[in-house]
Amino acid sequence: MSRANRQHLRAPVNQEMLYLCDDYVLKGRCSNISEGGMLITDMGRVPTSTRFHTMVSLIQYPEFSKLSSQKLISIDHSAFEIEVIRCEVDIVRSFDGLSEVEKILLPSIGAKFSHVSSGNMALIRSYVTTFSKNMIYLLTQFENSSKKNGNIVHLRKTASLLGYDSQIKLPLLRAKVLHDYQSLESL
């Protein structure tokens, strides 16, 4: 059985975000993003309207494969530019019949973009493309780590820069990265 592919590649974000909910600004978390929309988690409250405004910050990563090993080891998150994406989204599914408590307990909400500027869409596209390339670069480091023990520091630093817990055991870290990579385009 083959996996169905998504219309757009997606990439993990795992950043706090803001959203407008019934005239209140609340915090949630953007788990991943694509040109089509985003997956929102940790919402304090689901808006009564199916269309609402959001703001999420995206780290503008460089392509790690183009950096020297020394540069990659010395770079810190603070060196990356952050762009704030403002957009309007539509909730993908209906919550009719769910109580307020049931809505809060939902693990995640898929939201498709209803209005996003062309400039912000270009930033999203760039983020997803660069993150994907960096994941491939990291997976390549896992393959090379069995050949060179000195590569482990480089591998853990790359994982950390991409938002992974670089202190966990390497097989578990590899499994997490591989899972995210496999879910980039599959449903």
Side-chain angles (χ1 to χ4, degrees):
M1 177 182 259
S2 67
R3 289 185 157 175
N5 285 346
R6 295 181 172 278
Q7 187 174 358
H8 302 285
L9 288 178
R10 65 180 177 168
V13 177
N14 295 318
Q15 295 286 330
E16 283 189 340
M17 59 172 288
L18 299 176
Y19 65 101
L20 190 60
C21 177
D22 309 325
D23 296 327
Y24 294 98
V25 175
L26 300 175
K27 280 196 305 189
R29 182 167 286 281
C30 178
S31 290
N32 63 56
I33 198 164
S34 73
E35 291 178 52
M38 63 178 78
L39 184 66
I40 305 170
T41 60
D42 301 335
M43 295 179 85
R45 186 171 163 199
V46 176
T48 53
S49 171
T50 57
R51 180 170 287 179
F52 57 97
H53 293 275
T54 66
M55 286 177 39
V56 63
S57 55
L58 293 179
I59 297 170
Q60 299 301 296
Y61 291 104
E63 284 187 41
F64 294 154
S65 63
K66 294 182 178 180
L67 300 177
S68 70
S69 182
Q70 188 175 14
K71 174 75 173 171
L72 189 91
I73 294 292
S74 67
I75 202 165
D76 189 57
H77 269 284
S78 62
F80 302 143
E81 288 187 37
I82 296 176
E83 296 288 345
V84 176
I85 307 298
R86 293 170 180 83
C87 56
E88 205 172 42
V89 297
D90 288 322
I91 296 175
V92 175
R93 63 180 176 190
S94 171
F95 300 108
D96 293 341
L98 293 181
S99 70
E100 288 303 313
V101 173
E102 290 171 318
K103 289 179 185 177
I104 290 171
L105 295 176
L106 288 172
S108 60
I109 293 173
K112 67 179 181 177
F113 294 125
S114 56
H115 177 68
V116 60
S117 72
S118 59
N120 282 342
M121 187 55 73
L123 289 169
I124 293 167
R125 188 176 303 115
S126 172
Y127 175 84
V128 171
T129 301
T130 304
F131 200 97
S132 300
K133 289 178 182 178
N134 287 340
M135 285 182 83
I136 292 168
Y137 178 73
L138 178 55
L139 287 169
T140 303
Q141 287 183 6
F142 278 107
E143 297 304 316
N144 294 336
S145 69
S146 61
K147 299 170 189 157
K148 300 182 217 173
N149 281 341
N151 195 40
I152 302 297
V153 172
H154 189 82
L155 183 152
R156 288 191 180 277
K157 178 64 177 197
T158 304
S160 173
L161 290 172
L162 289 175
Y164 293 98
D165 179 357
S166 63
Q167 299 307 309
I168 62 176
K169 293 185 180 199
L170 286 180
L172 182 57
L173 178 59
R174 183 183 182 280
K176 286 180 181 264
V177 174
L178 189 57
H179 174 267
D180 285 350
Y181 176 72
Q182 290 170 337
S183 69
L184 282 172
E185 62 182 32
S186 51
L187 295 172

